[in-house]
Amino acid sequence: MPRLLIIEDNIDLAFGLRTGLEIEGYEVQHAEDGPTGLEMARSFRPDLIILDLTLPGMDGYRVLRTLREEGDEVPVLILTARSEEADKVLGFRIGADDYVVKPCGVLELLARVAALLRRSSRSPTSATSAPDAAAAAANVVERFGDVEVYEARRSVLKRGESVSLTPKELDLLLALMRRRGAVASRSDLLREVWGHRAEVATRTVDIHIAELRRKLEDDPGQPRHILTVWKAGYRFDG
């Protein structure tokens, strides 16, 4: 049974969410403030966290940043009334996996939770070859411009320096690279990277693309590799 943690100071909202999630078969715990939520994330070890940004004691950004700095990659869905683009960018930049603006329909939220859990449960194919073959696979590199991408060890270098990509940013980059120049629609990328089965109204892909360009392109305003195809989506040009 998947374990979920809701960190939300609105007691009525948290009760409604918890009830809906438990009906769907999840084990759910609730924290009403940031410090308690952070401690419960460490002790309860949830499979997914639903996190408000405006919390007593410690805001949601600090909770998320602390978890990521501690190496915890638990999927985090931000649920907040903050709808400004800057808030979304900051959330994704420090490691959020999805961002939902209140008020939100229960069915959409349940779909987002299920999608994140499906995505996080997919583990890389188990190694069946000898250790030397596994080591060789870890050193396979894809290059574009000054960037080197090591898919097996999930690391990226630019001009020899490590680039810090969030797990979703790396998954998105790999999804584009595997298409070898073919166009990927936003719906395709939402399904492949975030696990959404149906298209939802979200700028998640666009925000992650902007972050990839900021980190990897020499001129993010005029990208050479991560390209927009008008009215179609995105494609990668190596």
Side-chain angles (χ1 to χ4, degrees):
M1 177 186 299
R3 295 145 61 94
L4 274 59
L5 173 61
I6 301 170
I7 308 178
E8 168 64 65
D9 64 334
N10 183 320
I11 304 302
D12 292 335
L13 175 59
F15 177 80
L17 289 176
R18 183 171 187 168
T19 300
L21 291 165
E22 287 178 341
I23 289 172
E24 291 295 310
Y26 299 112
E27 179 183 352
V28 185
Q29 294 291 329
H30 171 228
E32 298 178 20
D33 58 69
T36 303
L38 181 58
E39 185 55 39
M40 289 183 67
R42 293 166 174 156
S43 59
F44 181 54
R45 306 300 298 171
D47 298 297
L48 183 142
I49 296 173
I50 299 175
L51 177 65
D52 189 15
L53 291 180
T54 306
L55 295 167
M58 176 187 293
D59 68 27
Y61 289 129
R62 284 186 59 198
V63 172
L64 176 56
R65 184 179 286 111
T66 301
L67 287 173
R68 295 305 187 233
E69 288 174 349
E70 292 176 353
D72 193 335
E73 295 190 357
V74 59
V76 173
L77 185 155
I78 290 177
L79 178 63
T80 179
R82 299 186 188 181
S83 59
E84 294 297 321
E85 190 87 345
D87 293 316
K88 296 179 183 180
V89 169
L90 179 57
F92 286 130
R93 186 170 291 177
I94 62 179
D97 295 274
D98 206 348
Y99 193 110
V100 177
V101 177
K102 304 173 186 175
C104 170
V106 175
L107 291 179
E108 179 183 349
L109 184 65
L110 290 173
R112 299 283 190 101
V113 167
L116 284 178
L117 288 171
R118 281 197 307 273
R119 183 69 187 176
S120 66
S121 68
R122 298 176 192 166
S123 58
T125 303
S126 301
T128 57
S129 55
D132 56 343
N139 288 318
V140 173
V141 58
E142 295 278 351
R143 293 183 174 86
F144 61 93
D146 296 321
V147 177
E148 299 175 357
V149 181
Y150 296 84
E151 179 175 357
R153 65 191 196 207
R154 294 185 64 81
S155 65
V156 177
L157 305 178
K158 183 174 182 180
R159 300 189 183 99
E161 298 292 329
S162 177
V163 179
S164 178
L165 298 184
T166 67
K168 285 293 185 289
E169 287 169 359
L170 181 56
D171 289 341
L172 178 58
L173 176 63
L174 293 173
L176 290 169
M177 292 178 67
R178 291 186 191 117
R179 284 172 165 77
R180 301 191 180 279
V183 176
S185 70
R186 289 172 178 81
S187 297
D188 291 337
L189 294 170
L190 279 170
R191 283 192 294 269
E192 184 171 340
V193 178
W194 282 269
H196 294 326
R197 287 179 174 170
E199 186 173 5
V200 293
T202 175
R203 293 210 59 216
T204 296
V205 174
D206 302 325
I207 292 170
H208 279 72
I209 288 288
E211 284 297 291
L212 283 176
R213 287 171 173 165
R214 184 181 68 85
K215 295 177 179 181
L216 301 178
E217 295 278 4
D218 291 332
D219 183 356
Q222 296 184 353
R224 294 177 51 204
H225 306 289
I226 303 169
L227 307 177
T228 300
V229 181
W230 191 56
K231 289 189 176 181
Y234 297 99
R235 70 177 179 86
F236 175 80
D237 186 351

